[in-house]
Amino acid sequence: MRIRARLAALRPPARGAGKPLPLRVWPADESVWLDENGVRHARAARRALAALATLGSCGRYGARIAGRGKVVTGPASALVLRDAEAEIGFVLSVTPYGYGAEPF
């Protein structure tokens, strides 16, 4: 079974009008996901990383396990991290955005 089909079955009910969130895949869609969800801003980056670290909801960002990987959700779309290597790459690419003067 393909990962998109599995994730569609695992996806919680969508927010708002009942439409599912668009699903992006790391690394191909990483920059699209960052822009759509505002993760290039310090507070959003820190919350996305916190959700990934704690596997839960952290404000408008959340993360959950899906197979061997994880799914990070934001207000506009979800990003599939297929394995630990993808997760490490994602964390390293988001961490520089997490620096800033805003409180967590």
Side-chain angles (χ1 to χ4, degrees), residues 63-75:
R64 66 182 186 281
I65 293 178
R68 293 184 337 203
K70 294 181 182 173
V71 177
V72 183
T73 57

